[in-house]
Amino acid sequence: MAKLAIHGGKPVRTKSWPDWPQHTRRQIDLIMEVVTANKWSFDGPKEWEFQEKFAKFKGCKYALTVANGTVSLQLCLEALGVGAGDEVIVPGLTFQATAAACIDVNAVPILVDVEPDTYCIDPKRIEEAVTPRTKAIIPVHLYSCMADMDAIMDIAKRHNLYVIEDTAHQHGSFWKGRGAGAIGELGSFSCQETKVLPSGEGGIVTTSDHDLFLRVYSLRNCGRLFKGGEGQHIQSGNFRITEFQAATLLAQFETLEERTKLRDERALYLNKRLSEIPGLTPMRRDPRVTRQDCYLYCFRYNKEQFKGAHRDAFNAALGKELGLSLWTPYEPLNNCSIYQPHTKPRYRLSEEHWKAIDPRRFSLPVSEHASYEEGVTLFHWLLLEEEKGLDSIVDACAKIHDNAEELLSIPVEPRRAIPGVEER
């Protein structure tokens, strides 16, 4: 019986994995054009070229680049008039920025649980969370799945709510032929360097509503009017990107569709192969998704098929077999180390508001199980590997399953509840 690499055995893979981000000669040439043109920021030609191309790709009328994917969510909320006293429904399993953008505009994030087989926001939980104060829903297309946009748009229509798609992970995804981020009133994208469309830092807002486009333009640009004096002045700040970032986005965009198709093909291949191993279950692929992009490839681990060993022991062993670091899903927002609204006194608008924004008041059992017990994630650049190379992931998982008793001796630190901030 083979010994696991974590215990000194021979690893399944010693070859290196694809790196990320990946630059091209085209990117270098475009950046040099910016350098010599002496137009380095503020509505430059590279920025507008990218925005027009990205909007066309997504199937919406407008795209605007902004400083990052957190700012993009905040500007979307402000453009819709969401503010003090309003509630915004967000999934409990997401990066903290989804909820933080809400408290930054003085709204109250209402955390609801996710579907157990996609880790995306559960429409049933959305319906239960709607109150007279609800103003918007922010579904997150998480990791390697899309939220159920048919159900979400139906709920929004019946309750007269706005929908902002958090599409930080899936620039190339399409739902029934419609681009992710072009289905709700607004879409929000991140272009941080690990994302599938990277520019180091940066973000994008998409919409087909001309008035919302004008408002976002003003909000990202110190309150200025659009070209020709369209729109209205709005109190705001500078949330623009530079022409260097725009040049990078243009070059990266040229490879987005090809890489999205490749990632999708490889993810489907991994789904098929991993499902052959007892105790490993790929995420559910909704048939309405006509193309699935992937930021983190995610699958589910059932410890009962691995001698009762904890997921973290499996991750540690798999990492040693493959020569990489394994990730787990985000911390649930009701117990998240970097989502701590009560650490900022400026959010204490009133005692009622202070209590309302306390994330610990929400119950998120599915999100907690996904984060602490079940979810396993691999970064998207591994999917650029050939199918033969991806077989090493399957082989490593199979090896660990065959030697599962060795997992029981791997030390695992228990997750602890985050202590509340002292009331004062």
Side-chain angles (χ1 to χ4, degrees):
M1 186 178 293
K3 183 181 285 188
L4 298 183
I6 198 168
H7 291 143
K10 182 180 179 181
V12 167
R13 181 181 175 114
T14 56
K15 180 184 175 183
S16 63
W17 291 93
D19 202 2
W20 194 262
Q22 296 181 356
H23 73 274
T24 63
R25 182 69 238 180
R26 170 73 168 157
Q27 182 178 339
I28 295 170
D29 291 343
L30 289 175
I31 289 174
M32 288 306 299
E33 288 180 15
V34 174
V35 172
T36 56
N38 284 338
K39 177 63 177 175
W40 290 1
S41 185
F42 194 179
D43 287 351
K46 296 286 190 293
E47 184 178 5
W48 280 106
E49 183 181 352
F50 169 75
Q51 290 170 163
E52 290 168 0
K53 287 182 174 179
F54 191 73
K56 183 179 180 181
F57 172 70
K58 300 308 299 182
C60 59
K61 292 183 178 178
Y62 308 104
L64 284 167
T65 54
V66 295
N68 55 60
T70 303
V71 161
S72 59
L73 286 167
Q74 181 180 328
L75 299 187
C76 287
L77 290 163
E78 290 186 330
L80 292 169
V82 176
D86 295 327
E87 293 177 350
V88 181
I89 296 173
V90 304
L93 189 67
T94 181
F95 185 58
Q96 65 92 21
T98 312
C102 302
I103 58 175
D104 280 340
V105 300
N106 296 329
V108 176
I110 303 299
L111 309 182
V112 306
D113 221 340
V114 296
E115 296 177 320
D117 53 0
T118 67
Y119 293 169
C120 293
I121 193 167
D122 189 336
K124 297 185 184 69
R125 304 288 86 83
I126 295 175
E127 191 83 60
E128 294 167 358
V130 174
T131 74
R133 289 187 173 185
T134 308
K135 193 76 172 282
I137 307 167
I138 306 182
V140 179
H141 303 308
L142 194 73
Y143 297 154
S144 54
C145 292
M146 283 191 71
D148 185 343
M149 290 308 296
D150 288 354
I152 291 166
M153 295 305 292
D154 176 66
I155 293 168
K157 183 177 180 181
R158 286 189 284 106
H159 294 282
N160 195 30
L161 305 175
Y162 298 120
V163 174
I164 302 168
E165 294 176 77
D166 185 336
T167 322
H169 291 178
Q170 297 182 27
H171 301 65
S173 292
F174 285 78
W175 176 270
K176 294 165 64 172
R178 297 184 66 186
I183 302 169
E185 277 74 22
L186 291 153
S188 167
F189 298 81
S190 170
C191 299
Q192 186 265 347
E193 73 169 2
T194 65
K195 299 302 191 293
V196 297
L197 183 63
S199 56
E201 296 290 351
I204 310 165
V205 174
T206 51
T207 187
S208 288
D209 185 296
H210 187 63
D211 288 338
L212 288 176
F213 162 75
L214 292 175
R215 290 183 65 80
V216 173
Y217 177 86
S218 181
L219 286 164
R220 71 156 190 168
N221 196 14
C222 305
R224 294 183 175 92
L225 302 180
F226 186 54
K227 299 174 183 179
E230 264 195 290
Q232 65 181 80
H233 294 291
I234 307 173
Q235 178 61 45
S236 194
N238 177 4
F239 301 109
R240 303 186 302 263
I241 68 168
T242 69
E243 274 288 272
F244 301 105
Q245 291 167 283
T248 294
L249 285 173
L250 265 177
Q252 293 291 323
F253 178 72
E254 292 174 358
T255 65
L256 176 63
E257 189 164 12
E258 177 186 350
R259 285 174 173 168
T260 298
K261 290 178 181 177
L262 182 61
R263 283 189 290 263
D264 198 17
E265 291 171 3
R266 297 294 190 262
L268 289 171
Y269 177 77
L270 264 184
N271 285 353
K272 179 177 181 296
R273 293 296 317 281
L274 288 177
S275 64
E276 299 167 358
I277 300 174
L280 302 184
T281 307
M283 308 308 292
R284 175 171 61 85
R285 174 66 67 94
D286 194 303
R288 292 168 292 182
V289 176
T290 45
R291 184 184 298 158
Q292 181 69 68
D293 208 343
C294 179
Y295 171 59
L296 287 168
Y297 175 83
C298 190
F299 61 93
R300 291 168 284 160
Y301 169 83
N302 180 353
K303 68 180 182 179
E304 301 308 319
Q305 297 289 332
F306 288 82
K307 307 292 187 182
H310 195 275
R311 185 272 321 273
D312 292 354
F314 171 83
N315 271 7
L318 185 58
K320 289 294 185 181
E321 296 294 341
L322 298 175
L324 50 79
S325 297
L326 272 293
W327 290 66
T328 59
Y330 294 127
E331 295 175 298
L333 290 183
N334 63 348
N335 192 36
C336 177
S337 57
I338 58 173
Y339 181 60
Q340 295 289 313
H342 282 188
T343 60
K344 271 196 173 181
R346 72 182 177 94
Y347 294 142
R348 199 168 197 152
L349 305 183
S350 67
E351 292 309 305
E352 179 187 8
H353 186 78
W354 191 246
K355 291 177 181 178
I357 63 173
D358 185 350
R360 297 169 300 178
R361 72 186 181 97
F362 298 100
S363 175
L364 303 168
V366 179
S367 300
E368 291 168 4
H369 184 68
S371 180
Y372 301 147
E373 304 288 338
E374 182 184 71
V376 180
T377 61
L378 302 164
F379 269 116
H380 62 87
W381 48 86
L382 304 185
L383 297 178
L384 300 178
E385 178 66 280
E386 297 179 353
E387 284 186 0
K388 184 179 179 180
L390 293 180
D391 285 339
S392 61
I393 297 174
V394 182
D395 294 342
C397 290
K399 177 184 176 184
I400 294 169
H401 182 268
D402 291 344
N403 297 274
E405 67 279 356
E406 290 192 41
L407 297 178
L408 299 175
S409 63
I410 299 173
V412 173
E413 288 193 19
R415 301 284 185 102
R416 294 184 174 86
I418 297 168
V421 176
E422 180 184 352
E423 297 288 339
R424 57 182 180 274

